[in-house]
Amino acid sequence: MLFKQQALLRQKLFVLGSLAIGSLLYLVARVGSLDRLQPLCPIDGRFGPRGQDEIPLRALQFKRGLLHEFRKGNATKEQIRLHNLVQQLPKAIIIGVRKGGTRALLEMLNLHPAVVKASQEIHFFDNDENYAKGIEWYRKKMPFSYPHQITIEKSPAYFITEEVPERIYKMNSSIKLLIIVREPTTRAISDYTQVLEGKERKNKTYYKFEKLAIDPNTCEVNTKYKAVRTSIYTKHLERWLKYFPIEQFHIVDGDRLITEPLPELQLVEKFLNLPPRISQYNLYFNATRGFYCLRFNIVFNKCLAGSKGRIHPEVDTSVITKLHKFFHPFNQKFYQITGRTFNWP
């Protein structure tokens, strides 16, 4: 009899202990999500007086729950009105460059509670068919957000498309523009590698990089090859400067964002007039993937797609040397215009 009573007591204690641990884990997870959604400290001239434009605590599932439903089109107009959500035109755009790290930059900026990202590349300003649909079509492609938050989109084709600067200027002449760059030769090879992988998936053959990057008739760098043209950053930037002052651009070091992302993100926070919220806690190195992943809170982590960090094919060293020499004067001019110097060859 005594043995049965002891066994029953142990069973009750086990159940109570399990409930206590479960409750504790729930509270820890809730605190983690609260940390992501805490109201921002107001900033003079941006967020207004305390009590205005703050994120209500009833919307704790905003980023990871309700917003997901809104994006799928499952939210009612009443839900949207209740949560004071809007679809805003972007106040900042990552305009390029392709294979510079635009996706990584966008995802990392999304760690900030005042930033809301457009998940897909919209291609509004570089696509004539989309542009003809009008600015309201563009707005409706934006994610739902609170009025005080900044919506950011990225479409790296914007940087090299001639019509885009004027089109963006007509939408918002004071918009902030982010350009993320890598060492030009490395970027060109990365560009080639992505195209090559796509060809291989379709069982198609493709030229070697050397054959595309060097004109066989002149043995000089082939400036008609798009991967090379894109890496002539100063040529494209000069076209943008006809519409926007250099102060509206921020240059992000894409190579540093891979190896040491936090300082680069802090510079972007400052450029966007955001309170510092992204910390080392939000970034952790994944040795298996070979790059940094994102930590939003204690229960939600995210790594970039497996297609990131592709291994580049070997390229003839003489071709690399020729490309370095070709890009060098353009790089020097880029440093001079932007006020930011990189250790490129």
Side-chain angles (χ1 to χ4, degrees):
M1 184 67 177
L2 180 61
F3 176 77
K4 289 183 178 180
Q5 289 177 338
Q6 289 176 339
L8 184 61
L9 180 61
R10 282 196 299 270
Q11 186 177 7
K12 288 180 178 179
L13 289 172
F14 175 78
V15 171
L16 289 172
S18 299
L19 288 172
I21 292 171
S23 299
L24 180 61
L25 289 174
Y26 170 78
L27 288 172
V28 169
R30 194 170 178 83
V31 168
S33 61
L34 276 170
D35 180 63
R36 168 74 170 142
L37 295 161
Q38 280 295 322
L40 299 174
C41 296
I43 296 179
D44 293 341
R46 178 168 187 79
F47 291 100
R50 181 169 291 281
Q52 295 181 10
D53 295 330
E54 292 186 343
I55 302 175
L57 293 181
R58 69 173 181 272
L60 289 177
Q61 298 304 316
F62 169 67
K63 278 284 185 181
R64 297 292 166 248
L66 281 175
L67 184 56
H68 181 63
E69 294 301 311
F70 296 157
R71 284 175 176 164
K72 292 194 301 182
N74 295 339
T76 65
K77 289 183 179 180
E78 179 61 23
Q79 285 176 312
I80 294 170
R81 186 196 63 76
L82 177 65
H83 290 277
N84 194 31
L85 296 171
V86 291
Q87 286 174 294
Q88 304 182 80
L89 291 173
K91 295 176 183 174
I93 301 179
I94 301 172
I95 59 174
V97 299
R98 173 180 161 90
K99 305 314 299 174
T102 57
R103 173 57 61 182
L105 178 60
L106 183 69
E107 296 292 344
M108 289 177 178
L109 289 178
N110 193 50
L111 289 164
H112 199 292
V115 171
V116 179
K117 69 178 176 69
S119 296
Q120 303 298 320
E121 293 181 8
I122 310 300
H123 289 287
F124 177 63
F125 297 103
D126 67 306
N127 183 298
D128 291 341
E129 185 178 339
N130 287 343
Y131 190 69
K133 295 174 183 177
I135 202 72
E136 281 307 307
W137 178 88
Y138 182 53
R139 187 196 301 273
K140 289 177 181 178
K141 291 293 182 181
M142 294 300 125
F144 286 94
S145 62
Y146 289 108
H148 76 270
Q149 291 177 307
I150 291 177
T151 296
I152 295 180
E153 77 125 321
K154 74 102 175 173
S155 294
Y158 289 168
F159 186 58
I160 63 170
T161 306
E162 290 189 11
E163 299 83 3
V164 171
E166 182 179 6
R167 289 174 175 179
I168 292 181
Y169 180 84
K170 287 179 178 178
M171 179 192 72
N172 181 359
S173 61
S174 62
I175 197 165
K176 300 203 173 211
L177 301 165
L178 294 162
I179 304 172
I180 179 167
V181 294
R182 297 182 67 194
E183 190 279 311
T185 300
T186 302
R187 195 223 63 82
I189 297 171
S190 180
D191 197 329
Y192 165 83
T193 304
Q194 178 168 302
V195 176
L196 175 65
E197 185 179 278
K199 298 285 187 182
E200 289 176 341
R201 280 200 304 267
K202 298 176 182 178
N203 293 319
K204 293 183 178 180
T205 58
Y206 196 49
Y207 293 108
K208 292 187 68 176
F209 176 78
E210 293 88 339
K211 205 170 187 65
L212 295 168
I214 303 299
D215 187 325
N217 297 318
T218 64
C219 293
E220 297 299 328
V221 172
N222 180 14
T223 56
K224 293 181 180 179
Y225 178 38
K226 188 176 180 180
V228 169
R229 287 203 318 273
T230 300
S231 286
I232 309 174
Y233 305 139
T234 185
K235 291 289 187 181
H236 305 294
L237 182 59
E238 285 173 343
R239 185 172 57 250
W240 284 84
L241 291 173
K242 294 176 182 177
Y243 295 91
F244 299 97
I246 193 64
E247 292 77 19
Q248 282 177 232
F249 297 87
H250 178 72
I251 309 301
V252 179
D253 185 342
D255 294 310
R256 191 184 185 201
L257 192 73
I258 296 170
T259 60
E260 197 180 1
L262 184 58
E264 286 299 313
L265 294 173
Q266 290 171 333
L267 289 173
V268 178
E269 284 180 323
K270 186 176 180 180
F271 172 70
L272 297 177
N273 296 322
L274 293 171
R277 288 291 183 273
I278 303 173
S279 69
Q280 197 62 57
Y281 168 81
N282 301 118
L283 303 160
Y284 66 96
F285 187 77
N286 185 314
T288 304
R289 304 292 293 277
F291 48 77
Y292 280 85
C293 294
L294 316 180
R295 180 185 293 115
F296 288 87
N297 53 50
I298 198 170
V299 294
F300 185 76
N301 300 339
K302 181 177 183 178
C303 284
L304 297 178
S307 61
K308 303 301 178 183
R310 296 180 180 90
I311 298 174
H312 294 177
E314 288 189 16
V315 176
D316 189 286
T317 54
S318 66
V319 171
I320 291 176
T321 300
K322 190 181 285 286
L323 285 168
H324 286 166
K325 289 180 179 179
F326 170 80
F327 287 124
H328 182 75
F330 297 112
N331 295 342
Q332 295 302 310
K333 193 170 184 180
F334 186 70
Y335 303 159
Q336 184 180 8
I337 293 173
T338 62
R340 183 155 196 189
T341 302
F342 301 94
N343 294 320
W344 298 339

